[in-house]
Amino acid sequence: MLAGKHILLIIGGGIAAYKSLELIRLLRTAGAQVTPVLTKAGSEFVTPLSISALAGSKVYSDLFDLGDEAEMGHIQLSRVADLVVVAPVTADLMAKMASGLASDLASTLLLATDTPVLMAPAMNVRMWEHAATQRNLATLQGDGIAVVGPNAGDMACGEYGPGRMAEPAEIMAAIDAQLGQGPLTGKRVLITSGPTHEPIDPVRYIANRSSGAQGTAIATALAALGAEVVFVTGPADVPPPSGVHVIRVETAHQMLDAVQAALPCDAAVFAAAVADWRVASASDSKLKKTKDGLPALTFAENPDILHTVAQMTKGRPALVVGFAAETDDVLANATAKRARKGCDWIVANDVSPETGIMGGAENAVTLISDSGSESWPRMGKDAVAAQLAQRIADALGRAP
Ligand code: C5P
């Protein structure tokens, strides 16, 4: 509940602005007071009338509105709230924020505020991935601004990828977390993600097709519920999530070291596709074609990170979650894996090429715990992540 909390909601210009109307409704239902600020571009997408009707408040939009200044000056407006939420924040508004511009009411409030700020980016995927936007994102995060989303998916512009604004319910969860009211506030959760690369020589390596998409989505969802997230990632295709502590590794050995250094934590989720084997003695120089025939690679077994942590007698996380990516007998293999690894839950999925799950946007998982197995319908990886994060929050809420 957000009773007694005051949110200054800045609505930027983008098609996602329509979702901000639903966000206002959710905020009001949760008991929050909402003061809306609409940028000029935002007013091209949603009308002040609908915002004001839902917020039950005047909509502020003009820096030089004398009526507004007499009623409430812009500096005062920037200080009224417990939290400033910018949803959607556009690439343009992020650039203004990152460079400290105060060229309209929204950017002026953001420069003048002494209140925590949460932003929900929404833009075309190329604009999001552009070096300038990523630079601005890093600057803003460095300035302590919290970020929720963007999610990957189909975009209004017809393209596909990260750039969709987080759903209103996800923004609500992030608001709760920012106000110290998330179900995982005060909990530290570790997650491994992506593939590992095991060197053969300085230029070649053994890898796998894991994109890191599911692990990244889980880290995002855990952070949105207020968790302090340590994200240990191999070389993934997707960029790491924002608002989490990112540790980049390449090999299984490095991943184990990073995991051990990140303990203790309340829960650990092992979503990485760790190579089972490495080349026993990787060459220090590039292997050459020779007349003597093909090089023979000898393999050595990698440490099993999940098993190592699940078996810890001292300092074991209260909840250890493993993944089972299978192509045959998914349920039987995953159930056996849960016992063999000693973890509490296994999230099993079928990664046969025809499912399109590996590297795709959707997943169909079965959650296996000591109370049996539960198959979830096929859904977006973001939705799987949100559901899993909520289950982790429920489980940790019950933990002594
Ligand atoms: O043994 P398998 O690779 O099928 O088990 C999958 C689960 O174990 C995943 O949760 C994965 O992150 C974890 N794992 C690990 N270290 C390994 C191999 C797998 O943490 N060396």
Side-chain angles (χ1 to χ4, degrees):
M1 286 304 281
L2 295 174
K5 298 293 179 189
H6 190 159
I7 307 294
L8 183 73
L9 176 65
I10 297 177
I11 302 173
I15 183 64
Y18 80 91
K19 292 194 205 169
S20 303
L21 299 178
E22 172 66 1
L23 177 61
I24 296 173
R25 201 187 60 74
L26 292 176
L27 284 165
R28 294 293 306 278
T29 308
Q33 183 186 346
V34 180
T35 298
V37 174
L38 184 62
T39 66
K40 191 165 175 319
S43 67
E44 301 288 340
F45 294 90
V46 284
T47 68
L49 189 59
S50 23
I51 295 171
S52 136
L54 285 165
S57 156
K58 174 185 168 65
V59 178
Y60 294 85
S61 45
D62 195 350
L63 184 56
F64 300 108
D65 184 316
L66 289 178
D68 288 356
E69 282 296 314
E71 229 173 82
M72 173 156 25
H74 61 267
I75 298 296
Q76 197 190 340
L77 187 58
S78 77
R79 309 281 163 86
V80 290
D82 298 292
L83 181 69
V84 178
V85 178
V86 200
V89 66
T90 58
D92 179 70
L93 189 46
M94 279 176 65
K96 281 183 183 155
M97 291 162 74
S99 45
L101 287 180
S103 49
D104 58 8
L105 181 62
S107 53
T108 303
L109 294 177
L110 286 160
L111 194 62
T113 192
D114 57 1
T115 314
V117 177
L118 168 73
M119 65 179 191
M123 66 195 72
N124 167 273
V125 55
R126 301 276 168 266
M127 291 170 78
W128 174 251
E129 286 173 348
H130 195 284
T133 305
Q134 290 301 309
R135 217 167 32 239
N136 292 334
L137 173 68
T139 302
L140 292 169
Q141 288 183 300
D143 291 347
I145 291 182
V147 187
V148 52
N151 293 341
D154 290 319
M155 310 206 48
C157 54
E159 291 189 47
Y160 179 87
R164 285 170 64 94
M165 187 169 87
E167 294 306 317
E170 293 173 78
I171 301 176
M172 282 298 286
I175 290 171
D176 280 340
Q178 281 303 305
L179 294 172
Q181 300 184 345
L184 286 173
T185 298
K187 302 288 185 194
R188 180 174 162 92
V189 184
L190 167 74
I191 173 154
T192 68
S193 183
T196 61
H197 285 184
E198 307 295 333
I200 296 170
D201 66 21
V203 295
R204 302 183 181 94
Y205 55 82
I206 296 170
N208 60 65
R209 294 187 197 282
S210 167
S211 64
Q214 186 63 80
T216 300
I218 295 168
T220 303
L222 290 164
L225 296 185
E228 177 196 353
V229 176
V230 183
F231 183 71
V232 179
T233 178
D237 294 342
V238 297
S242 33
V244 308
H245 181 42
V246 180
I247 301 169
R248 292 173 203 270
V249 297
E250 288 219 346
T251 65
H253 263 290
Q254 290 167 355
M255 190 171 271
L256 175 64
D257 289 347
V259 162
Q260 285 175 328
L263 294 174
C265 57
D266 298 285
V269 180
F270 294 89
V274 185
D276 290 321
W277 312 285
R278 66 182 183 281
V279 176
S281 43
S283 171
D284 288 337
S285 47
K286 189 181 166 194
L287 297 178
K288 298 273 184 221
K289 282 186 205 167
T290 65
K291 287 195 280 305
D292 309 334
L294 298 173
L297 297 181
T298 313
F299 289 100
E301 195 161 347
N302 267 335
D304 189 320
I305 307 167
L306 168 62
H307 184 260
T308 307
V309 173
Q311 299 298 328
M312 285 170 65
T313 46
K314 241 178 90 192
R316 180 191 189 274
L319 182 67
V320 177
V321 183
F323 274 68
E326 304 286 345
T327 51
D328 311 281
D329 297 328
V330 177
L331 202 58
N333 280 329
T335 305
K337 190 166 289 178
R338 176 173 171 269
R340 203 166 57 241
K341 303 262 186 178
C343 57
D344 303 295
W345 298 354
I346 280 273
V347 182
N349 59 359
D350 185 345
V351 291
S352 307
E354 63 274 15
T355 64
I357 284 174
M358 207 110 179
E362 293 188 333
N363 207 350
V365 308
T366 301
L367 181 65
I368 301 168
S369 65
D370 63 355
S371 45
S373 72
E374 195 187 302
S375 293
W376 296 355
R378 189 176 172 120
M379 54 184 134
K381 286 182 175 172
D382 291 332
V384 170
Q387 200 161 319
L388 185 65
Q390 189 55 56
R391 295 294 280 267
I392 291 171
D394 294 345
L396 291 185
R398 286 192 302 269

